[in-house]
């Protein structure tokens, strides 16, 4: 098993990676007229140009996008993202459990169509 870490000049950028990147780009393009949350899990600074910086750029450029960054040690959020981003420096399993518990106990009201 290989982890998604840079171990040579190719990182994990094989044909499957490029297909996933294309699918993500298509998804974002189709979602720009809606509220969108980018949930970033455990992404540090080993290869920030793959996920971290692009997520920050999307959040900065689109008012409807919110970034939620979970990382035990590196959840820092640029001030330029203002209140459209949150960094959670905590155990990921506990944080997700907390988020799910809040979502279930305090569901958002239904939006009118």
């Amino acid at each position: 098993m290989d982890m998604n870490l840079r171990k040579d000049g190719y990182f994990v950028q094989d044909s499957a990676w490029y297909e996933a990147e294309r699918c993500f780009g298509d998804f974002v393009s189709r979602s720009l007229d809606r509220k969108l949350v980018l949930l970033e899990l455990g992404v540090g600074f080993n290869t920030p140009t793959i996920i971290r910086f692009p997520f920050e750029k999307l959040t900065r450029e689109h008012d409807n996008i919110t970034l939620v960054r979970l990382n035990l040690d590196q959840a820092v959020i640029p001030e330029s993202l203002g209140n459209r981003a949150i960094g959670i420096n905590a155990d990921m399993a506990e944080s997700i459990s907390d988020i799910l518990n809040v979502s279930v106990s305090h569901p958002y009201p239904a939006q009118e169509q």
Side-chain angles (χ1 to χ4, degrees):
M1 178 175 83
D2 283 338
M3 299 296 291
N4 289 339
L5 297 174
R6 186 174 300 279
K7 62 181 181 181
D8 57 26
Y10 297 103
F11 184 58
V12 292
Q13 291 172 270
D14 58 9
S15 59
W17 186 91
Y18 285 105
E19 176 63 14
E21 179 187 42
R22 185 192 63 74
C23 289
F24 177 74
D26 290 348
F27 168 77
V28 170
S29 294
R30 289 190 316 270
S31 302
L32 286 179
D33 61 341
R34 304 176 186 148
K35 290 183 180 181
L36 180 63
V37 173
L38 300 176
L39 181 59
E40 188 185 282
L41 305 174
V43 176
F45 288 100
N46 187 36
T47 53
T49 58
I50 300 293
I51 297 173
R52 190 177 190 101
F53 294 165
F55 275 23
E56 290 175 4
K57 184 176 187 287
L58 282 167
T59 304
R60 189 175 296 107
E61 292 176 351
H62 302 281
D63 291 339
N64 62 311
I65 295 179
T66 300
L67 171 62
V68 178
R69 175 173 285 159
L70 282 85
N71 189 301
L72 189 57
D73 299 315
Q74 300 174 335
V76 64
I77 296 291
E79 288 183 24
S80 63
L81 299 180
N83 64 358
R84 292 186 303 114
I86 184 170
I88 301 172
N89 283 310
D91 178 85
M92 192 177 310
E94 291 176 15
S95 298
I96 291 173
S97 177
D98 290 345
I99 290 168
L100 291 173
N101 287 334
V102 168
S103 295
V104 170
S105 62
H106 303 301
Y108 292 102
Q111 294 182 352
E112 293 182 25
Q113 297 289 331

